[in-house]
Structure formats: structure tokens, C-alpha cells
């Protein structure tokens, strides 16, 4: 069984592209939780934060610099936005390819958690 987000990056599964560079791909979440809900993924498959070490840490810089570009291009930068990484089972991670959620487009996104 392949990785859904790797298949999206390869174009084998369709997605609505928001941003792309040599190392990063970003697309609309299929089930948005806010007016703007973008998923930002690295083209290198890594399961989640638990697999980070000093050798692959530039993945995080690539992801967050892309978040900044996306915030600018989607108009989120002015009012602010939320960035979420669900890491592991208790964190709510269901797709096991590290990804950053970028959420915004409301005057107030509300409390950080509603458990
Ligand atoms: P997680 O819970 O792993 O942090 O988030 C996975 C996200 O991927 C969810 O917000 C879900 O809506 C999104 N997602 C799942 N399958 C697809 C898909 O096939 N296409 C897109 N664009 N998003 C997906
Ligand atoms: Zn993958």
C-alpha cells in the first residue's frame, strides 16, 4: 500500500494545488475545517516528527518557509492564521506522511482545542 500524500505529490491522486517548489507541495484539504485549509507536505517521505534528526531537519525549514509563502499568497498573512501538526495517534494523525495544516480566513479561529 502506497502513501496517499506521496501519490498526491506525484499527481497520481488529484489535488487542488496551492503552492509548489522543488521540495514542497501544498494543496487544499479535502475536508476543510476553515475557509482556508491548506496541507503542506515535503516531497521527501517522512512519517512524522518522531523521524526527524539533524540529517533531515531541513525538511522543517522547507515546510515552514512554504507556510510563510502560502500565508502571503492566500491573504492570510494580514489577519493571522493557525498552523497545526497532528503527530501520532493521540495527536490525531491519520495520514502517515508529515504535513502541516494551515488554517485561516476567519476573524477568530477560536480556542486551540475543544476536547
Ligand atoms: P491528519 O489528521 O493526518 O493531520 O490530517 C489528514 C488530513 O488529510 C485531513 O484533514 C483530511 O481531511 C485530509 N485528507 C485525507 N485524504 C485526503 C485526500 O485524498 N485529499 C486531500 N486533499 N486531503 C485529504
Ligand atoms: Zn508519503
Amino acid at each position: 500500500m502506497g502513501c496517499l500524500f506521496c501519490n498526491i505529490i506525484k499527481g497520481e491522486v488529484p489535488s487542488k494545488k496551492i503552492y509548489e517548489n522543488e521540495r514542497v507541495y501544498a494543496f487544499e484539504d479535502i475536508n476543510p475545517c476553515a475557509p482556508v485549509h491548506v496541507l503542506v507536505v515535503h516531497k521527501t517521505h517522512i512519517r512524522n516528527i518522531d523521524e526527524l534528526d539533524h540529517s533531515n531537519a531541513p525538511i522543517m525549514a522547507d515546510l515552514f518557509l512554504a507556510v510563510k509563502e502560502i500565508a502571503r499568497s492566500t491573504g492570510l498573512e494580514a489577519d493571522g492564521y493557525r498552523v497545526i501538526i497532528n503527530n501520532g495517534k493521540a495527536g490525531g494523525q491519520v495520514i502517515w506522511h508529515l504535513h502541516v495544516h494551515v488554517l485561516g480566513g476567519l476573524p477568530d479561529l477560536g480556542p486551540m482545542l475543544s476536547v
Side-chain angles (χ1 to χ4, degrees), residues 4-5 8 13-16 27-33 37 39 85-86 91-96 99 101:
L4 174 63
F5 286 176
I8 284 178
V13 172
S15 65
K16 276 201 80 177
F27 53 102
E28 286 183 358
D29 194 295
I30 205 167
N31 186 22
C33 298
H37 187 170
L39 299 174
I85 297 175
N86 296 322
Q93 183 174 12
V94 296
I95 307 290
W96 298 87
H99 53 282
H101 296 256

Side-chain angles (χ1 to χ4, degrees), residues 3-6 9 45-46 96-97:
C3 167
L4 174 63
F5 286 176
C6 281
I9 291 162
H45 179 92
I46 174 174
W96 298 87
H97 180 133

Side-chain angles (χ1 to χ4, degrees), residues 38-55:
V38 179
L39 299 174
V40 187
V41 299
H42 205 274
K43 292 181 181 179
T44 302
H45 179 92
I46 174 174
R47 183 177 157 90
N48 64 20
I49 291 170
D50 305 342
E51 286 193 350
L52 282 172
D53 56 35
H54 283 288
S55 73

